[in-house]
Amino acid sequence: MVTDAAARGLKVRAAGSGHSFTDAVCTDGVLVDTSGLRRVLAADPGSGLVTVEAGIKLHELGKHLARLGLALENQGDIDAQALAGALATATHGTGARFGNLSSRVAGMRVVTASGEVVELTADTDPDGLRAARVSVGALGVVTAVTLRTVPQYTLHRHDRPLPLGETLARLDELAGANDHFEFFLWPYTRTAATKTTRRGQEPARPQASWKRRLSEDLIENRLLETISRVGRARNSLVPRLNRLLASSMGEGRLQDHAYRVYATKRTVRFNELEYAIPRVHAREALERVLDLVERRKLPILFPFETRFAAADDAFLSPAYGRDTCYLAVHQYTGMEFESFFRGVETIMDDYDGRPHWGKRHYQTAATLRGRYPGWDRFQAVRARLDPHGLFTNDYVLRTLGPVDHTAVQSIMDEQGRSSALEADDA
Ligand SMILES: Cc1cc2nc3c(=O)[nH]c(=O)nc-3n(C[C@H](O)[C@H](O)[C@H](O)COP(=O)(O)OP(=O)(O)OC[C@H]3O[C@@H](n4cnc5c(N)ncnc54)[C@H](O)[C@@H]3O)c2cc1C
């Protein structure tokens, strides 16, 4: 398909589950549907290395791994994504000790622009792998991924509302001391709906399905949908509706296999922007976003979400080289979001914020380049694997720019300089 499209002068993009809020997937050229690529190709429970086809959905992968006594090290809050789609945008969960999904990738098989199938590993092509782990689909079509999985574990989740002041005062402690910690905050309220999760090996105690349906279907989705519709129709009611939603958040506990705890059901449509900032700025940034909404009296119906992740080394990972706090803001579908999202983005700019590649933002290659120390090395890999920009679309052009052949030279110069320095040292 790739060589055929190239011969016809068409661009190529791969689609996962289409769950990105940006136009990351879109093309007028050839769109490769990867949903048929869903087999487990190899698994070694001893080392935890598992190779799967890249279009497998995370929920299918979770079940396969459980049968092997294995699990993903961490996950985000839905599992509808295709593995390669989730990796391409650096999808993450929460947990200050854990990196995003792509930090667990040991190898990738990629169909490049020439139609060649290349195997990227830390041994065969270290820069290639660090670029491909988070690629925004700009290097080729990923067809298989080798993951470093972990032995299956149980999660004990404790949900409880806490006063916002206390949560912010203890933020670093809560993020650092717990395996997984996150919280939701509705503007115009002072309640943090916290989720604190511990990892263990105790037996799973699956929640009765009617109980889970009650909390997920009725409260988290139907109640939210109804209240959101009211708020969309009468913006002035939003502060009161938010207080109602925040006060409906009770205390709850869950103990089950990890893959059944991480993911929740999300049926209410919304728009989202999410930024990765150094963890040390989490409190100040969140307070500024809250102030922005309340000072401008913006009708923001959905809660802010605050999560944490460990630093990693994929060139385009928003958590590259720094322990990270992820701050996400949302707006219900059909409601104006751009002025709010732009306001939040301006705040995040002050913290050298890096946007989630799959969520809305307004950055360009010019504004992003200086925020990623590995930018030129990513571009050098891109120039090597896709010299003519076959895998480019409007989103890639805006956020990564055109293929930059000078990047290869600048990396070679840099490598030359460091070898010379090493030789001098020797
Ligand atoms: C309700 C909801 C909840 C979410 N929760 C989280 C969360 O908890 N944490 C988080 O970090 N994000 C979250 N996201 C964002 C989501 O994880 C990302 O946008 C993810 O990329 C979507 O995966 P997908 O399979 O739908 O990919 P798509 O949106 O289909 O594609 C994303 C990118 O991957 C590329 N791609 C897909 N398959 C391939 C392939 N085989 N080879 C090469 N490139 C490929 C596409 O071209 C595109 O650039 C959420 C999104 C929604 C809608």
Side-chain angles (χ1 to χ4, degrees):
M1 287 172 80
V2 169
T3 45
D4 179 58
R8 289 193 289 142
L10 296 170
K11 301 285 184 194
V12 179
R13 296 294 288 168
S17 295
H19 268 57
S20 294
F21 296 85
T22 55
D23 50 347
V25 170
C26 306
T27 181
D28 292 327
V30 172
L31 188 62
V32 181
D33 174 358
T34 61
S35 59
L37 293 173
R38 47 198 287 240
R39 288 175 303 167
V40 175
L41 299 175
D44 175 12
S47 64
L49 289 175
V50 175
T51 302
V52 292
E53 288 182 330
I56 192 167
K57 303 286 191 273
L58 296 184
H59 59 88
E60 292 177 312
L61 177 59
K63 286 182 203 151
H64 282 303
L65 293 179
R67 281 197 283 274
L68 295 162
L70 299 169
L72 292 175
E73 187 198 49
N74 199 4
Q75 276 181 247
D77 52 23
I78 60 161
D79 56 10
Q81 304 96 323
L83 177 61
L87 295 173
T89 63
T91 292
H92 63 92
T94 191
R97 286 191 291 120
F98 304 105
N100 59 32
L101 215 55
S102 69
S103 68
R104 305 295 298 177
V105 171
M108 291 177 116
R109 182 177 303 151
V110 185
V111 179
T112 64
S114 60
E116 192 191 351
V117 179
V118 297
E119 303 282 348
L120 303 174
T121 68
D123 293 330
T124 57
D125 187 349
D127 267 27
L129 183 64
R130 285 171 74 185
R133 276 165 39 203
V134 181
S135 70
V136 202
L139 300 183
V141 180
V142 179
T143 57
V145 179
T146 300
L147 290 168
R148 286 183 289 120
T149 65
V150 297
Q152 198 176 12
Y153 54 99
T154 304
L155 288 180
H156 307 251
R157 201 177 86 198
H158 183 193
D159 299 351
R160 63 180 169 149
L162 282 180
L164 178 62
E166 181 191 336
T167 310
L168 292 181
R170 295 176 54 207
L171 198 53
D172 217 42
E173 173 212 324
L174 289 166
N178 292 296
D179 289 331
H180 307 272
F181 175 75
E182 69 175 300
F183 68 97
F184 293 91
L185 166 66
W186 278 268
Y188 308 104
T189 76
R190 291 296 176 268
T191 306
T194 66
K195 285 187 185 186
T196 309
T197 309
R198 182 173 65 76
R199 300 159 80 95
Q201 288 300 333
E202 297 85 341
R205 285 201 213 111
Q207 207 177 28
S209 58
W210 67 266
K211 243 183 167 177
R212 186 145 192 172
R213 272 207 305 277
L214 181 75
S215 98
E216 284 194 354
D217 286 358
L218 209 64
I219 300 177
E220 289 171 29
N221 287 302
R222 285 192 206 186
L223 176 70
L224 182 61
E225 178 83 62
T226 309
I227 291 187
S228 302
R229 283 183 186 195
V230 175
R232 188 171 61 189
R234 294 269 308 274
N235 286 185
S236 60
L237 291 179
V238 165
R240 260 186 284 166
L241 294 172
N242 283 3
R243 285 193 279 274
L244 177 70
L245 278 167
S247 64
S248 73
M249 294 291 126
E251 189 161 353
R253 288 178 190 272
L254 196 59
Q255 175 175 322
D256 205 344
H257 290 306
Y259 75 97
R260 292 207 292 248
V261 177
Y262 286 123
T264 51
K265 196 169 164 186
R266 297 283 180 89
T267 58
V268 185
R269 297 242 160 175
F270 57 90
N271 278 295
E272 179 169 351
L273 162 143
E274 185 174 49
Y275 263 85
I277 58 172
R279 183 173 145 188
V280 58
H281 300 306
R283 177 180 182 165
E284 183 184 294
L286 183 64
E287 285 175 335
R288 286 179 65 191
V289 174
L290 188 61
D291 179 64
L292 170 83
V293 173
E294 297 186 349
R295 201 166 21 85
R296 288 208 219 152
K297 297 191 172 46
L298 300 176
I300 304 303
L301 262 167
F302 267 54
F304 309 156
E305 186 176 13
T306 306
R307 294 184 277 184
F308 300 89
D312 68 71
D313 66 353
F315 295 138
L316 291 188
S317 167
Y320 181 96
R322 60 193 200 193
D323 286 335
T324 291
C325 168
Y326 280 96
L327 275 183
V329 297
H330 316 78
Q331 178 62 303
Y332 182 47
T333 186
M335 294 180 75
E336 201 279 328
F337 59 86
E338 185 169 339
S339 58
F340 169 48
F341 284 7
R342 282 187 184 274
V344 175
E345 187 161 274
T346 305
I347 294 173
M348 298 303 149
D349 285 344
D350 289 345
Y351 305 108
D352 206 21
R354 299 174 186 151
H356 189 302
W357 294 106
K359 301 189 182 178
R360 292 200 185 251
H361 67 90
Y362 306 95
Q363 306 287 351
T364 62
T367 59
L368 289 175
R369 183 182 183 151
R371 299 183 199 197
Y372 286 90
W375 183 271
D376 284 345
R377 283 169 75 179
F378 177 87
Q379 296 292 2
V381 173
R382 186 176 167 210
R384 175 156 59 85
L385 299 186
D386 184 19
H388 306 296
L390 182 70
F391 300 105
T392 301
N393 66 356
D394 286 351
Y395 182 70
V396 167
L397 212 51
R398 171 164 75 85
T399 56
L400 300 179
V403 175
D404 176 6
H405 293 277
T406 62
V408 182
Q409 191 54 47
S410 79
I411 294 300
M412 280 167 61
D413 291 348
E414 198 179 294
Q415 281 166 352
R417 269 196 306 276
S418 12
S419 323
L421 281 175
E422 275 164 28
D424 280 354
D425 285 352

